[in-house]
Amino acid sequence: MAGHSKWANIKHRKGRADAAKGKIFSRLAKEIISAVKEGGSDPKGNTRLRLAIQKAKEANMPNENVDRNIKKASSKDQSNYDEVTYELYGHGGIGILVDGMTDNRNRFSSEIRIATNKRGGTIATPGSVQFNFDRKGIIQIEKKELDEEAVFAAAIDCGAEDFDQAEELFMVITAPEKLYEVKEALASKDLNALEASITMIPKHFVDCDEETAKSNQALIDWLEDIEDVDLVYHNMNSPV
């Protein structure tokens, strides 16, 4: 996390996600089921379901998996899933946000408490950590041979709020509700996204020494391994 890079979390999460495709599919299945229960099984009249299906396709979820989850959602026996965010303070005062979807809030709460008991940190008052992050849509485009000024101009023309870069990627920043609109507009200009997602970007970072950073990483790893947890955001600036 060195260098106060606001994109360090994205790189970290991507590495974890690449190694946990099954967990990605589990999250997508929950999103599909929740969307159907909320707005019906027809994606034409259910925007949330349409976006969930689009995300599933981008993650290469087989069509039969998508169809099966839409059918499962129509069953009275199928549990609904709630989106839950926990706010924590880690070692050295870093802020941690834990996003998940669960059909059992009590179980989820218990697992978060176990994580802090085993790896330290404390559960924070709602809102005390979240205000230190901005919720944004992020579209990642591989640089390859693309011209930075041309991509920047196209991004702004398509409705992006901001533009940045990280290593081999251009980062197009949007309002969360405009993520897929901007993504499709960029695709019409032959600027195809490597990945598009909603993320939480730290407004500021907390410096940590090596020992504190390792303690925080152990907590973050534990949290990410909880079944109902999807994403863990933090504002740690690590020396390693």
Side-chain angles (χ1 to χ4, degrees), residues 200-211:
M200 302 295 286
I201 303 174
K203 294 178 182 177
H204 70 273
F205 291 81
V206 176
D207 292 332
C208 293
D209 59 30
E210 187 171 347
E211 183 178 349

Side-chain angles (χ1 to χ4, degrees), residues 102-130:
T102 183
D103 60 353
N104 188 325
R105 284 176 174 263
N106 289 335
R107 182 189 66 226
F108 196 9
S109 177
S110 175
E111 290 175 336
I112 296 293
R113 286 197 301 273
I114 290 170
T116 56
N117 287 338
K118 295 289 187 180
R119 291 291 181 263
T122 57
I123 298 174
T125 304
S128 61
V129 173
Q130 200 155 15

Side-chain angles (χ1 to χ4, degrees), residues 209-229:
D209 59 30
E210 187 171 347
E211 183 178 349
T212 304
K214 287 180 179 178
S215 296
N216 279 322
Q217 194 59 58
L219 172 59
I220 291 164
D221 289 344
W222 187 294
L223 292 166
E224 288 182 329
D225 285 337
I226 295 173
E227 183 178 353
D228 288 335
V229 168

Side-chain angles (χ1 to χ4, degrees), residues 84-155:
V84 182
T85 298
Y86 275 92
E87 302 178 45
L88 285 72
Y89 288 116
H91 302 274
I94 74 162
I96 300 174
L97 297 177
V98 184
D99 278 353
M101 291 189 77
T102 183
D103 60 353
N104 188 325
R105 284 176 174 263
N106 289 335
R107 182 189 66 226
F108 196 9
S109 177
S110 175
E111 290 175 336
I112 296 293
R113 286 197 301 273
I114 290 170
T116 56
N117 287 338
K118 295 289 187 180
R119 291 291 181 263
T122 57
I123 298 174
T125 304
S128 61
V129 173
Q130 200 155 15
F131 85 95
N132 283 315
F133 293 77
D134 286 322
R135 187 169 184 265
K136 295 293 182 181
I138 303 295
I139 300 166
Q140 301 178 38
I141 299 172
E142 285 188 289
K143 287 183 179 179
K144 296 182 178 178
E145 304 300 320
L146 296 174
D147 178 72
E148 179 182 348
E149 291 188 7
V151 177
F152 170 77

